[in-house]
Amino acid sequence: MSRRLIVYPFLAAVYSVLALAQQNLHQGIGPRDLAVPLMLSLPIAAFYWVAAKLFVRDPDQHAAVAAVWALGFLMYGNWTFFLPSPQEEGPRAGAIGLLASLAAAVVVVLLVRKLRPSQRATSVITVMLVLLLAWSTVDLAAAWIPSSSDDAAAPAGGSNAVATADSGPAAGGRPDVYLVILDAYSRADDLLDIYGHDNTGFEDALRERGFFVPKAARANYVSTYIAVAAMLGQDYVRTLLPGLRPDQKDRRPVFRLLKDNRTIRGLKEQGYHFVYFRSPFPPLSDSPLADERIPDRVSGEFELFWFRNTTIVPIHGVWCWLRRCPNPGHPFTGESSEELFAKFDTLAALASTPSPKFVFTHLLFPHEPFRVDARCDPIPPLWPSEATTGTDPKVRELYRDQVECANRLLLQLVDTLLARSAEPPVIIFQGDHGYARLRWGKPPPLEGATEDQVRERLSVFAAYHFPDGGNAVLYDSISPVNVFRGLFRHYFGEHDLQALPDQSFWSTSDQPFDLTPIEQPGSTPGP
């Protein structure tokens, strides 16, 4: 009797990754994000293929046990939703999860032996998995391959009439434009009131170097991707995307705005070379309009999300309990201190490259995880296990240290850019939102946040170096949606881009487009 080739346990392992990607396409997942999970899922399936032979010999029974075991491992988070989470409730929950996994594995062997799956059942399961894989592949490809209509037109609110290159004060020598998004950098008054940190010295040092540092800068939105999309789109998301529904879960329309918008298209039409620093935050990991990408590859959230859906999580939780790890639960992959320092070095080096250029970088800094002290010396990365109320003094101390380190690095960057640039550059330091000590950084419903958390989340640090009289378009209560409007007016003569009213909106992580206006002082548009 010839041996039959039974492959469906491996097909099932691959399908588990594709299905997870399908379910989370709205989070901005791209093809590269699947590489590591796919490469790891096949060896895991092979391990269970070998392990199953110790308990069942019949090839069809053996394949059934191997497939279910592999899927149980790879989709642990799906079938153990009723168990306590080891990421939130510690190693005891991890031990419970491991015991449940072992019990389930024994039950699978007993059931397979009793049901005795046949050769025909193996064929049916294989065909079903092939069809599921084909469907998942087509569905993912349709989401990732841009349509001709996407290529032909800019999104709503994109660049319309762009002034000629000889308009504005920078005629004949357009300044380089550096945009640095500083994730979760709170405003000076909150840094002092909540964290006991006086940011006056840093802000004064920037002013001495020609920066305008607004005293009442505010965020438009509480989530990074919406805030940055509005800033680059130079308008509010409901204007840019009028079809957005309050109950909409799909974030992809906003993610497309991050990649293709009025600011990028307008600067490229002005002849700017677009340098894009990839972020580990998937929506900001790439832009199809970039002329240069740094670095070539970054690890995204999907890899960690996949990892957290496997049985590795309870194993890691128990292991950390035995080894006394500080906190095994990480909501996403943050930049290491080495990666962070490398970005600052590369940013500084760009000053000596040909102009004009538009440089975009999103830094998960001073955002947690905490990985440097106030002197910028690396420390073991630490995520606060519970920061919803802001009562943990250690969280405040660590965040304050990262702000102080950020200030050191930013001031060094400024001095290098000003010294090495052929002409004074435009430099934009923009906080997307304040820190506010929210659990895993996810905004809860308004009633679930304290008054000072709401205030801090919507109060941001910002500093702008607009040479050649550009400070005239800036004002103390400016919000990100008006920054590039002012830049395009002053440097490129787009006088139709008048300042919009500065508004702030609250929404939750689960309902990102159910936007509640939050009144703050200074809502009148500036110059």
Side-chain angles (χ1 to χ4, degrees), residues 289-490:
L289 298 181
D291 299 302
E292 184 178 348
R293 297 168 177 83
I294 303 171
D296 181 61
R297 169 80 173 98
V298 295
S299 298
E301 283 188 77
F302 180 74
E303 294 175 9
L304 185 61
F305 182 60
W306 172 84
F307 170 87
R308 293 177 66 187
N309 200 48
T310 70
T311 310
I312 297 171
V313 169
I315 295 173
H316 185 242
V318 172
W319 174 256
C320 268
W321 173 62
L322 296 173
R323 297 292 302 272
R324 300 185 182 277
C325 300
N327 179 26
H330 297 171
F332 62 81
T333 304
E335 293 167 311
S336 68
S337 56
E338 293 79 9
E339 290 171 323
L340 182 69
F341 299 152
K343 278 192 174 181
F344 274 96
D345 290 342
T346 307
L347 276 168
L350 287 173
S352 303
T353 61
S355 299
K357 53 185 172 287
F358 171 43
V359 182
F360 172 89
T361 184
H362 165 248
L363 299 176
L364 285 165
F365 192 64
H367 196 292
E368 53 200 3
F370 304 119
R371 63 259 198 221
V372 292
D373 63 18
R375 297 184 301 275
C376 292
D377 292 329
I379 62 174
L382 176 66
W383 280 95
S385 58
E386 184 67 62
T388 52
T389 62
T391 56
D392 185 352
K394 188 64 176 177
V395 171
R396 301 187 186 206
E397 176 187 344
L398 291 169
Y399 175 73
R400 183 174 65 241
D401 285 350
Q402 291 215 152
V403 168
E404 292 187 33
C405 174
N407 293 350
R408 288 171 177 262
L409 296 175
L410 291 172
L411 211 54
Q412 292 171 9
L413 175 64
V414 166
D415 288 340
T416 302
L417 294 180
L418 295 181
R420 295 182 184 176
S421 296
E423 63 175 280
V426 169
I427 305 172
I428 300 170
F429 294 146
Q430 182 67 63
D432 54 347
H433 54 71
Y435 180 42
R437 298 143 290 129
L438 302 175
R439 184 169 178 76
W440 298 145
K442 295 181 177 181
L446 264 176
E447 58 272 18
T450 64
E451 184 177 340
D452 66 327
Q453 284 177 322
V454 173
R455 186 191 74 237
E456 184 191 353
R457 188 74 174 190
L458 292 169
S459 303
V460 295
F461 166 77
Y464 311 110
H465 186 265
F466 279 23
D468 298 318
N471 284 358
V473 300
L474 304 170
Y475 51 99
D476 275 329
S477 61
I478 194 169
S479 67
V481 77
N482 278 315
V483 173
F484 279 102
R485 282 180 164 259
L487 185 149
F488 274 57
R489 283 202 312 276
H490 183 72

Side-chain angles (χ1 to χ4, degrees), residues 21-22 134 162 165 183 239 249-250 256 286 327 342 437 464:
Q22 273 183 290
V162 180
D183 207 308
T239 303
K249 301 287 189 180
D250 189 354
R256 285 192 285 270
D286 198 5
N327 179 26
R437 298 143 290 129
Y464 311 110

